[in-house]
Amino acid sequence: MTTTYKKKLIEVAIPLEAINAASAREKSIRHGHPSTLHLWWARRPLAACRAVLFAQLVDDPSSLPDQFPTAELQDAERKRLFAIIEELVIWENSTNEEVLERARAEIRRSCGGALPPVYDPFSGGGSIPLEAQRLGLPAYGSDLNPVAVMIGKAMIEIPPKFKDQKPIHPGVKDRSFYRNAEGLAEDVKYYGEWMRENAWERIGHLYPQVNLPKEYGGGKATVIAYLWARTVPCPDPAFAHVKTPLVSSFELSGKAANRACVDIIVTGDRYEFKARNERVGDKVSPRSGNVSRQGAHCLISGAAVPFKYIREMAKNGEMGQTLFAVVADGPKGRVYISPNSAVEEAALSAKPAARPSLEICHWPGRTNVVEYGMTDFGSLFTDRQIVGLQTFVQLVREVRENILAEALVAGRQDDGVPLADGGHGAKSYADAVSTYLSFLVGQLANHSSTVCGWNSPNQQMRSTFSRQALPMNWDFAEVNIFSESSGSYLSLFTRMVKSFEALGASQSEGKVVQHDAQTLQYPAGTVISTDPPYYDNISYADLSDFFYMWMRQCLKDTFPELFSLIATPKQEELIAQPYRQGGKQKAESFFLEGMTSAISEL
C-alpha cells in the first residue's frame, strides 16, 4: 500500500507581506497583548505563528488535482486560502470566532476532519502553543527553563481549566455569565489591588511625597522616580574623601515642551545638584556626562578615573550612590526637583531582613555588571527595592490562603489537588490566581533594579531588560512603585489584567511541561511546530535567573518540582557557549550533537 504525499501550503507559497505587516504591528501593542503577562526574550510574533500553523496544516491546491486540475484553478484556490490568512493575522481578529472558525474548517478539511495536536519542544515564551490552541488544536509545549514553562502554563494551561467561571472575591457583582477567563481576570484584579493597598500600609512611608517648588504652585506631589548616580572615591589623594559621582548624561528631559537638566555646583571639595526646568524660565543647557567609552573624570578635582580603578573600587565594596534628581508628578506633567537630605534619608532608611542571593553566571565582556563586583542578582537592587519586592512576595503567599478561603465560601468544591497535579477545585484555583500575582513581582523587579535607566527623550523608565544583557550603567532610575507612572506596580498590573482579554477562548486541551528536547517522546500523530534555539545566542538560562529568583520565592510550594533547584538548568541548555562548555570547539560539538539528537527524536 502506498500513500500519496500531499504538499502543504507552506511548502509552496504564503502571503508574506501581510504576515510581516501584522507581525511588525504587534510590536507596538502594549495593552491587551499576552506578552504583557511576563517578559520573555525573542518571543515569536503571534500573527506569524498563527499563519505558519495554518499553512503547515492546510493542503496546497496542487496536491488536490481531482479538485483543481489546472494551474489556473490552483492559483485561484491558493488566493482564497491567502485571503483567510490575511484575515487571520490581523490583531483585532485574534479573538474573532468567525474568522478563527473559517481557519479551523480548512484545517479539518485537510486533516481528515479532525484538529490534530501540536507540540512545540522549544516552547519558550509560548507563542506557538497559544496560537495552536486559539485555532482549536490540542496544544502541547515543553522547555528546559522553568520560567518559560510557567509563562506557557499561564497562557495555555490555566485559563481553560477555569473557563466561564464566576469570580469568588468578596462583594462580587452578580452577572448572568462570565466568558472565557473573565472571572479569573476579575479575581486577579481584585486581589492584585488588595496586595497594593496592603503593601502601602506596610512600606508606604518609604516613598513620601515631596514639596513642589513655588514656581510649580507649591504643595505636595507624588514622586515618579528617583535618579541616582553611582560614586567612587576620587583617585586624587588630595580629594580621596570625595565621593565622585559617575553620570552618563545630565539631561533629564529632551521634550521640547518640558526640557530639563541637572547641573552640578562645586564649592571647594563639596558639590550639590540643582535641577533646571525650561518651563519655569531656567536656562537649560545640559553638560556632558563625566563617563565616556575612554573612562571617567572627577567632576570636583578633574582627575582621570579609569575604568580599571572603578572596577577595583566596586569589587572592594567602595562603590556607593548619591541622589542627583527627583522626578515628580506635577499639575501639568513631569516636574524635576533638586534632591534634598529628607528624600535621600527616606530611601536609605529601608533595611531588608535578608538579601536574596543567586550567582550571576558570568558571560564574556567588560561592560556587564559582574566586572563591577555585582556577582549575584541580589546585588542589582537597592535596599528599598529589596524591601518592596519582598513585601509583595509575602503578600502573594498571604493572598493565596485568602483566595482558598473565599473559594470555599463561594461554594467551590475542594478536591485537595493542587494546580501542579491537574486539580480543578478551590485549592488549584487559589494556586492559579496566585501564579498570575507572582508574575507581578517579576515584572516589578524588571522595573525596579539598578540596571534601570531614565529615558530623557520620552521622560520614562527603562526596564532592566531593555536589551538581552545586564550592562553596567552609571546613573540609574528607581521607580516609585506606588506611583501611577510607567514601571510602577499599578501600571504593570493594569497591563497584565488586560492581557487576559487576548488569551482567547479555546476549548482544546493545553499543557506545558519542563523537559529536555533531546529525550522527548512524542505522541503518535502529533504535528511539530517549533522555533529551535540559535547556535550561539545569548543564554536565556543565565538571564532568566533574574526572574527565577523572585518566582521561586512565590511559587516553590505551588510547583515544588518545577522550583526544586536553586537556579535554572544551565549545562543542558542547547546553545553553543564557549565559557560554559570549555572552549569554542567543544561548544560547537555540544550544540551540533545535542541538536542532532533533538531533531532525531522529533
Side-chain angles (χ1 to χ4, degrees):
M1 178 180 175
T2 59
T3 301
T4 303
Y5 172 72
K6 290 183 178 181
K7 278 188 176 180
K8 296 297 180 180
L9 186 63
I10 198 169
E11 298 177 81
V12 179
I14 54 175
L16 279 174
E17 190 173 337
I19 296 169
N20 290 341
S23 298
R25 185 186 166 217
E26 253 187 63
K27 293 180 180 178
S28 63
I29 297 171
R30 293 289 179 265
H31 298 280
H33 194 279
S35 64
T36 57
L37 274 177
H38 198 288
L39 172 69
W40 187 256
W41 305 269
R43 194 190 293 262
R44 301 279 71 82
L46 301 182
C49 295
R50 204 151 56 243
V52 165
L53 282 162
F54 178 88
Q56 77 175 99
L57 290 167
V58 172
D59 294 334
D60 184 74
S62 64
S63 291
L64 305 167
D66 293 344
Q67 298 178 44
F68 310 102
T70 67
E72 290 76 14
L73 288 173
Q74 290 170 16
D75 285 343
E77 174 63 5
R78 210 170 279 126
K79 286 179 181 177
R80 186 185 73 84
L81 295 173
F82 281 10
I84 293 175
I85 294 176
E86 287 164 0
E87 261 197 314
L88 193 63
V89 297
I90 296 171
W91 170 251
E92 287 75 14
N93 289 339
S94 60
T95 55
N96 185 321
E97 275 301 304
E98 185 179 339
V99 172
L100 292 170
E101 188 50 43
R102 274 200 293 272
R104 292 171 193 144
E106 294 297 332
I107 294 171
R108 289 190 193 98
R109 193 167 71 158
S110 293
C111 296
L115 294 170
V118 170
Y119 201 115
D120 181 0
F122 300 102
S123 56
S127 295
I128 292 173
L130 176 66
E131 292 309 311
Q133 193 179 56
R134 202 191 301 276
L135 289 169
L137 311 165
Y140 303 95
S142 57
D143 203 284
L144 185 64
N145 193 304
V147 175
V149 173
M150 281 309 309
I151 294 171
K153 285 181 177 294
M155 291 206 302
I156 76 158
E157 190 175 314
I158 297 176
K161 284 180 178 290
F162 308 104
K163 178 180 166 61
D164 301 339
Q165 291 191 14
K166 292 182 178 181
I168 52 87
H169 65 81
V172 61
K173 294 180 180 178
D174 190 29
R175 279 172 52 176
S176 57
F177 67 95
Y178 283 82
R179 293 178 61 251
N180 308 325
E182 287 179 346
L184 181 63
E186 188 173 314
D187 276 333
V188 170
K189 184 174 186 295
Y190 176 88
Y191 289 104
E193 289 171 348
W194 181 91
M195 283 172 58
R196 185 174 184 265
E197 291 169 4
N198 278 266
W200 173 255
E201 290 176 6
R202 299 178 193 188
I203 59 170
H205 62 278
L206 297 176
Y207 300 87
Q209 289 188 312
V210 292
N211 295 314
L212 283 177
K214 290 181 180 179
E215 54 267 35
Y216 285 100
K220 298 284 187 180
T222 299
V223 174
I224 291 172
Y226 308 84
L227 306 185
W228 300 86
R230 301 190 194 275
T231 65
V232 292
C234 177
D236 185 335
F239 290 84
H241 58 289
V242 173
K243 302 295 184 183
T244 297
L246 303 170
V247 183
S248 58
S249 174
F250 283 91
E251 183 179 69
L252 301 177
S253 170
K255 284 202 171 182
N258 187 28
R259 293 183 70 243
C261 71
V262 66
D263 200 5
I264 184 168
I265 301 168
V266 178
T267 307
D269 61 354
R270 301 177 67 82
Y271 63 89
E272 63 176 323
F273 293 107
K274 181 171 178 58
R276 299 189 183 279
N277 297 260
E278 194 172 83
R279 191 164 31 155
V280 293
D282 288 340
K283 183 180 179 181
V284 174
S285 53
R287 63 187 295 166
S288 300
N290 66 322
V291 186
S292 67
R293 291 185 178 182
Q294 287 70 44
H297 65 273
C298 179
L299 292 164
I300 293 83
S301 70
V305 187
F307 285 133
K308 182 180 179 182
Y309 172 82
I310 297 174
R311 284 193 287 268
E312 288 175 357
M313 292 296 101
K315 289 177 179 178
N316 290 337
E318 297 200 53
M319 178 175 278
Q321 64 189 60
T322 186
L323 190 66
F324 72 86
V326 176
V327 188
D329 191 10
K332 295 183 179 180
R334 303 283 194 264
V335 175
Y336 297 91
I337 303 173
S338 304
N340 60 65
S341 57
V343 175
E344 193 160 3
E345 285 168 7
L348 300 178
S349 67
K351 302 298 177 189
R355 181 173 286 272
S357 180
L358 178 59
E359 182 185 2
I360 299 175
C361 291
H362 190 189
W363 51 90
R366 291 200 165 194
T367 59
N368 66 63
V369 294
V370 175
E371 289 292 339
Y372 292 88
M374 301 181 192
T375 57
D376 68 84
F377 285 99
S379 64
L380 300 181
F381 302 90
T382 67
D383 285 349
R384 179 163 59 178
Q385 288 171 333
I386 291 287
V387 168
L389 291 166
Q390 287 180 335
T391 299
F392 280 105
V393 167
Q394 179 59 35
L395 286 166
V396 170
R397 294 171 180 162
E398 292 177 20
V399 82
R400 183 167 170 266
E401 299 305 316
N402 293 348
I403 296 167
L404 177 56
E406 294 296 344
L408 294 173
V409 170
R412 296 277 176 94
Q413 296 298 312
D414 187 12
D415 52 15
V417 181
L419 184 66
D421 295 332
H424 291 73
K427 180 177 176 57
S428 62
Y429 189 73
D431 290 345
V433 178
S434 59
T435 293
Y436 292 106
L437 295 175
S438 76
F439 281 17
L440 273 169
V441 179
Q443 293 283 55
L444 196 60
N446 186 33
H447 293 80
S448 297
S449 82
T450 61
V451 185
C452 296
W454 181 253
N455 191 333
S456 59
N458 63 9
Q459 303 184 91
Q460 286 185 334
M461 293 280 302
R462 282 198 309 270
S463 64
T464 300
F465 289 108
S466 53
R467 60 190 180 96
Q468 298 166 4
L470 289 171
M472 182 63 181
N473 58 345
W474 309 111
D475 45 89
F476 63 90
E478 180 191 8
V479 70
N480 176 2
I481 58 177
F482 294 109
S483 69
E484 297 182 6
S485 66
S486 64
S488 67
Y489 179 90
L490 184 62
S491 171
L492 298 168
F493 171 56
T494 303
R495 285 173 57 189
M496 193 190 84
V497 171
K498 286 183 178 179
S499 71
F500 279 89
E501 300 169 4
L503 289 180
S506 177
Q507 297 276 11
S508 65
E509 182 182 351
K511 192 169 185 63
V512 179
V513 298
Q514 185 183 29
H515 211 291
D516 178 2
Q518 298 180 53
T519 57
L520 269 174
Q521 293 185 347
Y522 298 92
T526 299
V527 174
I528 306 297
S529 190
T530 191
D531 182 28
Y534 308 134
Y535 174 72
D536 59 353
N537 203 4
I538 295 169
S539 168
Y540 294 148
D542 288 342
L543 292 177
S544 61
D545 273 342
F546 177 93
F547 294 111
Y548 184 84
M549 180 177 74
W550 298 107
M551 194 177 281
R552 185 172 184 267
Q553 292 183 53
C554 295
L555 298 177
K556 62 183 178 181
D557 295 330
T558 307
F559 294 91
E561 290 187 7
L562 205 54
F563 294 98
S564 61
L565 300 176
I566 298 298
T568 61
K570 306 285 190 308
Q571 286 304 123
E572 304 95 326
E573 187 180 28
L574 200 49
I575 57 172
Q577 285 292 8
Y579 69 87
R580 187 185 292 165
Q581 276 105 29
K584 187 175 181 180
Q585 188 172 353
K586 288 183 179 180
E588 181 173 338
S589 297
F590 172 83
F591 178 80
L592 292 176
E593 290 170 8
M595 187 56 70
T596 299
S597 176
I599 297 298
S600 297
E601 287 297 319
L602 187 151

